[in-house]
Amino acid sequence: MGIAVEFNPDLALRDISEHKAGRRRKEECIPENLEEGKIYDFLKKDQRNYWLRGEIPLIETKGGEVLSRPRASIIILEATHFLESGEIWTRGKYRVIKVLDSKTIYFEYLDPIKKRDF
């Protein structure tokens, strides 16, 4: 018997329309109007670990590993695992560093491009 833990190099949330349709909680979705500098709550099913020492991409997921390009650069401020109705969840907070458009490349692997010196 083992412990199932997922390591995520990004934060993948659903489109806000999933919440408006009643299929997801608000914290499981990307806010309608992301604002730089603002702190938001997130919620993910299962036990997940995130990198806390720098910027990571906020991406949209449609499920089944269908992912968008980065929508924003964020910093995870906290992540906590908890049980609810016998299921494991991860909740936390993230700060938006930069809202991104779909054409501009901001990350190279996990580093913002501005941090590369070659």
Side-chain angles (χ1 to χ4, degrees), residues 51 53-56 73-75 97 106-108 110-118:
W51 186 45
R53 292 196 177 261
E55 295 176 53
I56 65 170
S73 175
I74 65 167
I75 292 178
I97 302 303
Y106 185 78
F107 287 96
E108 186 169 301
L110 291 177
D111 296 326
I113 288 177
K114 67 182 188 278
K115 292 189 177 183
R116 297 277 177 153
D117 60 353
F118 57 90

Side-chain angles (χ1 to χ4, degrees), residues 29-79:
C29 301
I30 296 174
E32 200 158 4
N33 297 306
L34 282 174
E35 295 180 39
E36 292 179 6
K38 192 166 180 186
I39 295 171
Y40 298 93
D41 295 323
F42 73 88
L43 179 66
K44 295 289 290 182
K45 192 168 184 321
D46 299 322
Q47 189 167 335
R48 296 163 185 269
N49 287 330
Y50 296 97
W51 186 45
L52 301 177
R53 292 196 177 261
E55 295 176 53
I56 65 170
L58 172 64
I59 59 177
E60 181 183 327
T61 180
K62 294 189 183 298
E65 298 183 15
V66 177
L67 306 171
S68 72
R69 297 208 47 206
R71 299 271 309 271
S73 175
I74 65 167
I75 292 178
I76 302 279
L77 302 173
E78 62 183 61

Side-chain angles (χ1 to χ4, degrees), residues 57-105:
L58 172 64
I59 59 177
E60 181 183 327
T61 180
K62 294 189 183 298
E65 298 183 15
V66 177
L67 306 171
S68 72
R69 297 208 47 206
R71 299 271 309 271
S73 175
I74 65 167
I75 292 178
I76 302 279
L77 302 173
E78 62 183 61
T80 304
H81 307 116
F82 67 99
L83 284 172
E84 182 178 280
S85 302
E87 295 183 315
I88 298 174
W89 292 82
T90 303
R91 68 176 159 222
K93 296 183 180 298
Y94 63 94
R95 176 181 289 121
V96 175
I97 302 303
K98 182 167 179 63
V99 175
L100 306 173
D101 62 56
S102 63
K103 294 179 173 71
T104 304
I105 297 172

